[in-house]
Amino acid sequence: MLGIKRLGLLAALVLVGIAPAAAAQAAVQPSQQDTQYLQAVHQVNLFEITAGDLAQQKGQSQGVKDLGQRFKTDHTQVDQSVQEVANQLGVELPAEPTADQQAVIDQLNNASGEEFDRLWVTSELAGHVQAIQATQTEISQGSEQSVVQLAQTALPILQAHYDALVQLAEQLGIPVPQTSASGTPSPGGTTPAPGGTTESPAPGGTTTESPAPGGTEQVPAPTQS
C-alpha cells in the first residue's frame, strides 16, 4: 500500500510539473499578424527562389542573371530562418507561392529575350515594394519577438535588393514606377498585413490588372535605409 501511495504521489508531482510547461507552451501562440507574416514571407522566398532560377536561365542581360543568382541565394538563407521560427511557434507554412505569384512565374516562363528582362525587373520591383511594406508592418505591429527580429533582419536585405533593381532598371532603360505623393505607407498605416483581403498584391505577386512591363503604375518606393 505504501508503494502505491508513493506512486500516486509521484504521478501527482509529474502532473504538477507538466502543467506549467503546457501552460507556457500554450502562451507562446503567435498572433495573427505574426502568423500571416511568416506565411507571406515564406511565399515571397519560394517565389524569389524560382524567379531567381529563371533569371539565370532566361535572362538576356548579365545584370538580370547576376541579380537572379543573388536573390536566390539571399532568399534561400532568409527562408531557413523563417522555417526555423515557424517550427518553433508551430506555424504551418504554405507549400507553394500565392496564385498571383504563380501567375507571374507563368508569365516569365512564357517570355524571352528583352521581354523577359523587362517583365522580370518590373515584377521584382513591385514585389519588393510589397515585401518591404509587409516587413515594416511586422516590425511595428508584431508581438512575437522572434518574428519581429526575423523581420528586422530581412528588411535591409529587401531594401538592398530594391536598390539594386532600381539601378538595373536604369541601366536597361526600364521605367521605374513613380513614388506616390505619400511615399511608403508608415508601419501600421494603410498597408494591409500579409494575408489580408485587400487587392494589394502579395509580396512578389501582382494585382489582378497588373501593368505591362515598363508600365507607369504608381507604386510607392520604399524608404531609403
Side-chain angles (χ1 to χ4, degrees), residues 84-127:
E84 289 175 2
V85 173
N87 287 337
Q88 292 170 1
L89 298 177
V91 174
E92 184 176 354
L93 297 177
E96 56 190 16
T98 66
D100 283 343
Q101 291 166 341
Q102 187 58 53
V104 175
I105 292 172
D106 293 341
Q107 292 174 19
L108 290 170
N109 274 316
N110 292 327
S112 60
E114 183 179 346
E115 178 190 5
F116 175 89
D117 286 1
R118 292 174 68 86
L119 176 60
W120 189 84
V121 171
T122 302
S123 62
E124 287 287 345
L125 282 166

Side-chain angles (χ1 to χ4, degrees), residues 10-224:
L10 178 59
L13 289 174
V14 170
L15 290 174
V16 169
I18 290 176
Q25 184 176 5
V28 185
Q29 293 299 319
S31 68
Q32 183 178 16
Q33 163 65 34
D34 295 327
T35 298
Q36 289 181 342
Y37 178 72
L38 285 172
Q39 294 170 338
V41 76
H42 176 61
Q43 289 179 304
V44 168
N45 294 329
L46 293 178
F47 170 84
E48 291 296 342
I49 291 169
T50 300
D53 278 335
L54 289 174
Q56 293 175 74
Q57 296 167 13
K58 305 183 65 175
Q60 177 173 283
S61 162
Q62 187 61 44
V64 169
K65 292 179 179 292
D66 291 344
L67 271 192
Q69 181 178 14
R70 173 182 172 185
F71 287 4
K72 178 183 178 180
T73 298
D74 289 350
H75 282 277
T76 298
Q77 293 176 347
V78 170
D79 202 54
Q80 290 175 351
S81 298
V82 172
Q83 292 185 53
E84 289 175 2
V85 173
N87 287 337
Q88 292 170 1
L89 298 177
V91 174
E92 184 176 354
L93 297 177
E96 56 190 16
T98 66
D100 283 343
Q101 291 166 341
Q102 187 58 53
V104 175
I105 292 172
D106 293 341
Q107 292 174 19
L108 290 170
N109 274 316
N110 292 327
S112 60
E114 183 179 346
E115 178 190 5
F116 175 89
D117 286 1
R118 292 174 68 86
L119 176 60
W120 189 84
V121 171
T122 302
S123 62
E124 287 287 345
L125 282 166
H128 275 80
V129 167
Q130 293 296 319
I132 288 170
Q133 291 173 343
T135 300
Q136 290 172 331
T137 299
E138 171 60 27
I139 292 172
S140 174
Q141 298 183 4
S143 55
E144 172 57 45
Q145 191 58 34
S146 60
V147 184
V148 173
Q149 289 177 346
L150 177 67
Q152 291 172 334
T153 299
L155 184 58
I157 296 172
L158 295 169
Q159 182 66 60
H161 287 184
Y162 179 84
D163 293 342
L165 284 164
V166 170
Q167 293 178 3
L168 179 60
E170 293 173 348
Q171 293 172 8
L172 299 178
I174 300 174
V176 177
Q178 299 297 310
T179 305
S180 66
S182 60
T184 301
S186 59
T190 57
T191 303
T197 56
T198 69
E199 295 182 358
S200 298
T206 59
T207 56
T208 303
E209 298 181 358
S210 56
T216 57
E217 181 190 28
Q218 298 294 309
V219 179
T223 305
Q224 296 293 325

